[in-house]
């Protein structure tokens, strides 16, 4: 993709409002994310230009503004999903939201590898019937707050971006004007049913489509056919953060501080909506076209208690003491994970990792037993220690993270959009 072409056709769009919908999670324990992502696009993602121009506006919330009828589908889609409030009790305060939309014919979306047809020829996915089929007939044009109706034929499909547990993710462009660039994620219904995660997927979609924050990956809409569900996601141009961490081993103070500031901002937003993420880890973070962090996976942000035992087979590394001990937990689990993330960004490994296995990690977490290497600055150490507190109530509030000296120190070097 030509860097100048990309830079010249990117437009920033704001005029966003923040949903006040109450999304109340249930207790839950997360599991390890499937590791079969191929991320085939991330190298070329990394070559993309940082975008030169963003038009940023301060949102004036107007929750009841209807989508103008003369707008194209894609614009209506975005507007409809931005005007989701129907049950507000108090007017929200203006929140600065920068949303970058990519559009235009000039953006090279890459070559489609025929993956969907190949899977269909291989017989992947089965028709689903009865209640399960009803439960997974997910279409945002039929949702309580509808967007436009979509179908696979309305997209030009480009290069594969990765493979998830339930299907592939492709870079796509809407055929109708304006031609938006999106990531289209396919989920096979029969595989969702086999894994018994129908409710979880529904909940994930429900949560993510109501969130609007510059560091939370947007879900613009979704549609389905007989075998698959398709999610229309914000395109995270620089791919997976995890890949960057693997590539560089660890991050500099400046880069880590920037990411942690963005995470703290996003988490404060989620908590204000009563959403607890509960699965913050590098594998769940993507990078936008400006290298800005995007929380990209809400698969475990709400979870029925019945799935607890099954999910405990995942990694423990990011779980706080109260969760590994099976106690009640609150949004403070995300504060703990932020401490783990800060450590991992700066050191390349999570603080409680123990190669002897599950039990050893469990004990370390429970006793909050970790050592911060000498190369970590005193300021970063201070933040890590204040987040990794056994008592959830003693963990540093997110507002204080934002004003912590290690965050503030690097803030002045930062462009305002990041
Ligand atoms: P997932 O099923 O969410 O694990 O996605 C599989 C892989 O596809 C990820 O590991 C990413 O490399 C890629 N991917 C998923 N969503 C996006 C997105 N919105 N933008 C860019 N790449 C993505």
């Amino acid at each position: 993709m030509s860097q100048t072409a990309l830079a010249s056709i990117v437009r920033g769009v704001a005029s966003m409002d923040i949903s006040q919908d109450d999304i109340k999670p249930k207790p839950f324990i997360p599991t390890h994310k499937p590791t079969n992502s191929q991320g085939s696009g991330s190298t070329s993602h990394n070559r993309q230009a940082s975008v030169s121009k963003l038009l940023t506006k301060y949102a004036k919330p107007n929750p009841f503004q209807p989508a103008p009828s003369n707008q194209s589908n894609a614009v209506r889609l975005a507007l409809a999903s931005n005007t989701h409030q129907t049950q507000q009790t108090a007017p929200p305060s203006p929140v600065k939201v920068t949303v970058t939309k990519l559009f235009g014919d000039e953006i090279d979306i890459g070559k489609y590898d025929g993956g969907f047809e190949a899977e269909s020829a291989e017989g992947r996915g089965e028709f689903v019937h009865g209640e399960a089929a009803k439960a997974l007939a997910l279409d945002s044009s039929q949702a309580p707050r509808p967007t436009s109706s979509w179908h696979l034929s309305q997209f030009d499909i480009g290069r594969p971006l990765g493979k998830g547990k339930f299907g592939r993710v492709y870079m796509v462009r809407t055929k109708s004007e304006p031609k938006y660039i999106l990531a289209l994620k396919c989920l096979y219904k029969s595989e969702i049913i086999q894994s018994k995660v129908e409710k979880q997927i529904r909940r994930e979609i429900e949560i993510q489509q109501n969130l609007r924050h510059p560091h939370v990956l947007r879900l613009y809409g979704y549609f389905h056919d007989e075998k698959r569900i398709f999610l229309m996601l914000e395109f995270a141009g620089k791919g997976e953060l995890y890949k960057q961490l693997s590539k560089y081993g660890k991050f500099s103070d400046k880069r880590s501080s920037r990411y942690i500031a963005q995470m703290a901002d996003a988490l404060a937003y989620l908590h204000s909506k009563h959403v607890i993420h509960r699965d913050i880890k590098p594998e769940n973070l993507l990078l936008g076209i400006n290298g800005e962090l995007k929380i990209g996976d809400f698969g475990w942000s709400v979870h029925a208690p019945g799935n607890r035992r099954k999910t405990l087979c995942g990694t423990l590394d990011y779980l706080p003491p109260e969760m590994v001990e099976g106690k009640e937990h609150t949004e403070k689990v995300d504060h703990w994970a932020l401490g783990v993330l800060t450590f991992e960004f700066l050191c390349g490994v999570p603080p409680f990792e123990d190669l002897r296995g599950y039990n050893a990690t469990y004990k370390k977490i429970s006793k909050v037993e970790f050592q911060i290497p000498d190369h970590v600055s005193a300021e970063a150490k201070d933040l890590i220690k204040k987040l990794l507190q056994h008592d959830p109530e003693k963990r540093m509030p997110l507002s204080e993270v934002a004003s912590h000296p290690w965050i503030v120190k690097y803030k002045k070097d930062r462009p305002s959009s990041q």
Side-chain angles (χ1 to χ4, degrees):
M1 179 184 313
S2 147
Q3 298 194 347
T4 41
L6 175 62
S8 67
I9 53 182
V10 167
R11 300 287 183 277
V13 179
S15 67
M16 306 286 288
D17 50 5
I18 300 296
S19 167
Q20 299 294 301
D21 293 346
D22 240 17
I23 301 166
K24 292 217 168 65
K26 296 187 184 107
F28 129 108
I29 290 183
T31 189
H32 195 51
K33 186 182 171 175
T35 51
N36 58 342
S37 116
Q38 72 177 24
S40 57
S42 74
T43 315
S44 52
H45 277 156
N46 296 341
R47 285 199 291 270
Q48 283 178 5
S50 62
V51 174
S52 63
K53 227 180 198 177
L54 282 175
L55 305 175
T56 305
K57 254 167 77 180
Y58 286 83
K60 281 212 176 87
N62 182 1
F64 304 107
Q65 181 190 11
S69 58
N70 59 349
Q71 295 281 9
S72 72
N73 276 353
V75 173
R76 273 211 302 277
L77 168 84
L79 285 173
S81 53
N82 291 341
T83 52
H84 276 166
Q85 295 81 1
T86 49
Q87 297 165 347
Q88 278 188 195
T89 48
S93 56
V95 179
K96 182 187 168 192
V97 178
T98 310
V99 176
T100 308
K101 290 196 178 70
L102 289 165
F103 59 94
D105 269 329
E106 293 150 75
I107 293 178
D108 178 10
I109 59 170
K111 200 167 165 0
Y112 177 46
D113 62 4
F116 288 140
E117 292 76 11
E119 280 179 336
S120 158
E122 286 160 14
R124 183 170 182 183
E126 288 153 28
F127 291 99
V128 294
H129 307 281
E131 282 307 305
K134 270 192 223 157
L136 292 176
L138 295 171
D139 187 336
S140 53
S141 69
Q142 307 293 317
R145 306 171 187 103
T147 66
S148 300
S149 163
W150 290 92
H151 185 268
L152 193 55
S153 64
Q154 289 167 286
F155 300 89
D156 289 319
I157 307 177
R159 64 189 169 86
L161 296 171
K163 265 186 194 168
K165 189 177 179 200
F166 298 116
R168 299 168 189 237
V169 185
Y170 281 95
M171 185 171 179
V172 301
R173 180 173 38 226
T174 55
K175 286 182 182 168
S176 59
E177 296 285 348
K179 300 189 172 187
Y180 281 110
I181 304 292
L182 300 163
L184 193 67
K185 181 169 168 176
C186 162
L187 308 167
Y188 279 92
K189 289 179 180 176
S190 57
E191 295 174 18
I192 292 171
I193 292 165
Q194 235 165 9
S195 300
K196 298 189 171 66
V197 290
E198 303 97 298
K199 280 192 189 141
Q200 186 189 317
I201 297 275
R202 281 192 73 105
R203 193 69 180 149
E204 176 180 0
I205 290 172
E206 199 178 302
I207 288 177
Q208 204 172 348
Q209 72 158 348
N210 281 301
L211 299 172
R212 282 120 186 73
H213 188 276
H215 300 301
V216 173
L217 197 80
R218 273 291 294 274
L219 172 63
Y220 291 106
Y222 44 92
F223 55 95
H224 71 116
D225 64 16
E226 288 157 318
K227 291 183 178 177
R228 302 165 291 188
I229 299 167
F230 293 93
L231 306 184
M232 297 163 63
L233 292 162
E234 178 182 359
F235 171 57
K238 286 196 172 155
E240 293 172 79
L241 180 130
Y242 184 73
K243 286 229 169 99
Q244 296 279 306
L245 192 56
S246 308
K247 183 174 166 189
Y248 296 109
K250 57 192 177 203
F251 296 146
S252 66
D253 269 69
K254 187 176 167 186
R255 189 169 179 180
S256 304
S257 163
R258 172 164 56 98
Y259 288 152
I260 295 301
Q262 295 174 352
M263 277 301 301
D265 200 33
L267 289 174
Y269 167 73
L270 294 182
H271 294 176
S272 76
K273 309 250 142 254
H274 310 284
V275 172
I276 311 175
H277 191 282
R278 294 178 276 199
D279 200 16
I280 295 296
K281 56 186 177 186
E283 294 92 320
N284 288 341
L285 303 175
L286 292 167
L287 296 170
I289 47 173
N290 291 318
E292 73 281 24
L293 185 145
K294 306 264 175 192
I295 300 181
D297 194 320
F298 286 83
W300 301 109
S301 57
V302 170
H303 203 290
N307 285 336
R308 277 180 170 215
R309 201 177 309 153
K310 192 180 84 193
T311 56
L312 257 181
C313 62
T315 181
L316 287 182
D317 282 321
Y318 277 76
L319 294 187
E322 64 271 27
M323 283 177 81
V324 297
E325 290 162 10
K327 294 181 185 153
E328 294 224 326
H329 57 271
T330 64
E331 83 286 355
K332 297 291 192 306
V333 298
D334 290 339
H335 297 224
W336 174 276
L338 195 61
V340 178
L341 205 59
T342 310
F343 187 108
E344 185 164 354
F345 284 169
L346 292 167
C347 306
V349 286
F352 305 103
E353 184 179 76
D354 194 310
L355 300 176
R356 286 171 299 173
Y358 193 90
N359 280 344
T361 303
Y362 173 95
K363 274 188 198 146
K364 279 187 173 177
I365 292 172
S366 203
K367 289 196 225 155
V368 196
E369 198 182 295
F370 67 99
Q371 272 195 329
I372 310 180
D374 291 342
H375 77 264
V376 175
S377 67
E379 288 144 329
K381 273 185 187 149
D382 181 74
L383 179 65
I384 292 168
K385 284 182 191 159
K386 286 179 174 158
L387 287 167
L388 295 181
Q389 291 285 318
H390 190 280
D391 179 353
E393 292 313 310
K394 289 195 178 142
R395 290 173 203 154
M396 183 179 254
L398 295 171
S399 57
E400 287 179 30
V401 174
S403 59
H404 186 276
W406 183 68
I407 299 292
V408 174
K409 184 173 178 179
Y410 298 99
K411 209 168 193 170
K412 51 184 177 289
D413 302 336
R414 242 173 254 156
S416 60
S417 65
Q418 293 184 29

